[in-house]
Amino acid sequence: MKTILVLLDTLNRRSLPAYGGGASTPNIDRAAEKSVVFGQHWSGSLPCMPARRDLLTGRASFLEKGWGGIEPFDRTLPEVLREAGIFSHIITDHYHYFSRGGENYCQAFSTWDFHRGQEGDPWHSVIAEPPKPEQYYGRIEDQYEHNRSRFEQEEDYPGPRTLSAACDWLERNKDEDNYFLWVEAFDPHEPFDCPPHYLEQYKDTYNGPRFDWPIYGDADVPEDALRHLNARYAANLTMIDHWFGKLLDTMDRLHLWEDTLFIFTTDHGFLLGEHELLGKNQMHVYNELAHIPLIIRPPGGQGEGMRINALSQNIDLMPTILDYMGVQVPEDVKGYSLRGLLEGREDQVREAAIYGYHGMAVNVTDGRHTYMRAPKSADNHPCNIYTAMPTTFRSFLGGGMEKEIECGRYLERTDYPLFKIPLTAEGRPYTGNQRVLQSHLFSLEEDYAQQRPLQNEAVEERMIDLLRAEMERVEAPEEQYLRLGLEKREDD
């Protein structure tokens, strides 16, 4: 059989009509109608590259480190498939794979195809500064201004090129079987840039300073600019949906649905003014960021049109794919196959899902409540990074603290020697953002927007027990309990 996974970056669940949203996404709607829609699917490690490490390894990585490459001791999905004789291919315009801190992801696939030009991808080489507007909100970066100068028509944008390449790949390999295809578009990630006819669909009348790339943090822009940003996000989403439709058309024409496992999802969401915030990374992981869409069509369409509200999260996709493709799941995988849910043999696969950023609050949900467990003190101490690959977002880890870095065998699952890089120091404030130093409990049923923290000791204790159990199950480093003010369970 075959598996096709489509990953859109920064896809807001609340925007999709399949989840009650108002954006125009007729092709995502079309995929949802012929598939199983998961209603309680959650992210794991955030943001971009940590989420991809989760997806490829079936393990939550954010308790060990943040942004960084695939580790030499990780067993990735395409590598496990290769051992079973299954070909894998990735088509992407996500340039972080090819920046420092994105090592070893695409290289795990049998072949890969990269389409240039998104965001700060150092693609179009011009020494002179590009022309820029005199007034704007948010960010404008020279490299993207150079890149976007090459988008003369819609087909030139990286997202459309990526989906077109996926169609071409399926056409070339229409007579083949036994493969895994990963199709990944950076859209609708910011900057929210697309041809103007998509924005016109949303009746946008904004005529203020340019605003298509928000700065993460407080939503300190005029209300009309915020509405415009939301319209730009929706327009960008509608553009990539149009090209996603061409992939669905190709699958229809080649009769691929009967023997193909089809998965559609994202890495995380994005705040567009909710909680008076923009972006991600600088705040608690609210539902807008962590509660994400998942659409799966099993081979032959079993369960078509069904909705599943059992709890699932991103680390469950790797074992699901291996299960359907008849490949043994590695012992160190911590996700669960969703096949039993899809085939009606199981009612649930997990009691809780944990998610978060490295070094910030650790979050847990049971599908009824969400609990954000913040560090117990302002210094967030102790917290370390464990890695054999000391790279992160466009830089190296540990600069200026070389004498404080230790090396040893620190993780239960590997004998590989690791760098232990301190992220905190006792007594030194870790962050100036006091919002992330408060724990919060919310009801999903009564306060999905997370505006009114619950004060319920019994529920909080139950969520703490779930959090602790999941941390132990995923083999969290010992100091994670200390910095959160938790004790391991007595039965351990």
Side-chain angles (χ1 to χ4, degrees), residues 9-10 47-50 52 67-70 92-107 114-122 139 141 184 186 189-191 213 216 267-268 280-281 391-394:
D9 198 298
T10 314
C48 299
M49 299 318 292
R52 283 153 182 77
W67 189 292
I70 291 291
T92 182
D93 61 345
H94 193 109
Y95 76 104
H96 293 143
Y97 284 123
F98 302 95
S99 303
R100 188 171 293 140
E103 298 87 356
N104 306 324
Y105 288 85
C106 289
Q107 292 79 4
F114 175 35
H115 295 267
R116 306 291 303 271
Q118 289 283 17
E119 203 187 58
D121 178 17
R139 299 169 57 186
E141 293 189 2
E184 178 178 345
F186 199 59
H189 191 290
E190 74 278 7
W213 195 342
Y216 298 168
D267 48 1
H268 53 71
K280 58 194 180 194
N281 300 354
T391 57
T392 187
F393 184 57
R394 301 177 183 169

Side-chain angles (χ1 to χ4, degrees), residues 3 5 52 55-56 70 76-82 86-92 97-98 104-113 179-184 321:
T3 295
L5 184 149
R52 283 153 182 77
L55 287 165
L56 286 173
I70 291 291
T76 64
L77 173 60
E79 290 172 328
V80 175
L81 291 174
R82 180 187 292 121
I86 298 170
F87 189 93
S88 64
H89 181 61
I90 181 172
I91 304 169
T92 182
Y97 284 123
F98 302 95
N104 306 324
Y105 288 85
C106 289
Q107 292 79 4
F109 289 79
S110 304
T111 52
W112 51 265
D113 183 13
Y179 62 74
F180 171 58
L181 175 63
W182 177 301
V183 182
E184 178 178 345
I321 292 167

Side-chain angles (χ1 to χ4, degrees), residues 167-335:
C167 296
D168 293 344
W169 192 91
L170 289 173
E171 291 281 5
R172 288 196 306 273
N173 294 283
K174 63 180 182 296
D175 297 323
E176 301 299 328
D177 205 343
N178 204 35
Y179 62 74
F180 171 58
L181 175 63
W182 177 301
V183 182
E184 178 178 345
F186 199 59
D187 295 319
H189 191 290
E190 74 278 7
F192 307 135
D193 190 13
C194 60
H197 67 88
Y198 288 107
L199 191 59
E200 290 167 4
Q201 294 184 34
Y202 292 92
K203 298 180 171 57
D204 180 66
T205 58
Y206 176 76
N207 60 2
R210 178 171 149 188
F211 189 30
D212 57 16
W213 195 342
I215 295 173
Y216 298 168
D218 294 329
D220 54 355
V221 295
E223 190 63 33
D224 64 334
L226 193 58
R227 287 194 298 270
H228 172 65
L229 187 72
N230 276 265
R232 293 203 70 94
Y233 174 88
N236 202 350
L237 172 55
T238 298
M239 178 184 74
I240 202 63
D241 175 85
H242 171 75
W243 292 88
F244 172 60
K246 296 183 181 297
L247 178 68
L248 299 182
D249 292 343
T250 302
M251 293 183 67
D252 289 344
R253 187 171 61 258
L254 299 179
H255 308 290
L256 293 178
W257 296 105
E258 290 307 304
D259 60 352
T260 298
L261 172 67
F262 178 82
I263 301 174
F264 176 89
T265 191
T266 189
D267 48 1
H268 53 71
F270 195 85
L271 290 167
L272 289 165
E274 299 88 351
H275 310 279
E276 300 182 351
L277 295 166
L278 292 170
K280 58 194 180 194
N281 300 354
Q282 307 298 319
M283 63 289 291
H284 274 307
V285 185
Y286 292 105
N287 291 338
E288 292 89 352
L289 296 170
H291 196 190
I292 58 176
L294 174 64
I295 296 168
I296 299 179
R297 180 184 167 92
Q302 182 174 4
E304 180 174 326
M306 185 170 67
R307 292 200 170 238
I308 290 177
N309 287 315
L311 202 63
S312 61
Q313 71 174 127
N314 65 352
I315 63 173
D316 298 332
L317 295 185
M318 179 205 189
T320 301
I321 292 167
L322 293 176
D323 191 355
Y324 271 99
M325 301 199 82
V327 180
Q328 185 173 351
V329 178
E331 291 183 1
D332 66 348
V333 166
K334 297 300 181 181

Side-chain angles (χ1 to χ4, degrees), residues 374-446:
K376 64 179 174 56
S377 59
D379 61 10
N380 196 22
H381 191 70
C383 188
N384 300 300
I385 299 167
Y386 295 96
T387 181
M389 300 278 298
T391 57
T392 187
F393 184 57
R394 301 177 183 169
S395 65
F396 290 100
L397 289 163
M401 58 172 61
E402 290 82 359
K403 292 183 179 180
E404 300 174 50
I405 298 173
E406 299 177 3
C407 190
R409 293 175 172 84
Y410 301 111
L411 301 183
E412 293 182 25
R413 66 188 177 105
T414 181
D415 289 328
Y416 210 97
L418 305 172
F419 294 106
K420 179 181 178 181
I421 304 172
L423 193 65
T424 61
E426 189 170 6
R428 182 183 68 195
Y430 178 61
T431 175
N433 186 348
Q434 296 301 305
R435 285 181 299 223
V436 300
L437 295 176
Q438 298 176 357
S439 296
H440 294 301
L441 173 69
F442 295 100
S443 167
L444 283 172
E445 296 176 352
E446 298 175 4

Side-chain angles (χ1 to χ4, degrees), residues 356-386:
Y357 300 104
H358 180 70
M360 292 176 64
V362 179
N363 312 275
V364 63
T365 184
D366 63 353
R368 292 178 293 159
H369 294 90
T370 56
Y371 180 57
M372 304 167 173
R373 181 72 179 198
K376 64 179 174 56
S377 59
D379 61 10
N380 196 22
H381 191 70
C383 188
N384 300 300
I385 299 167
Y386 295 96

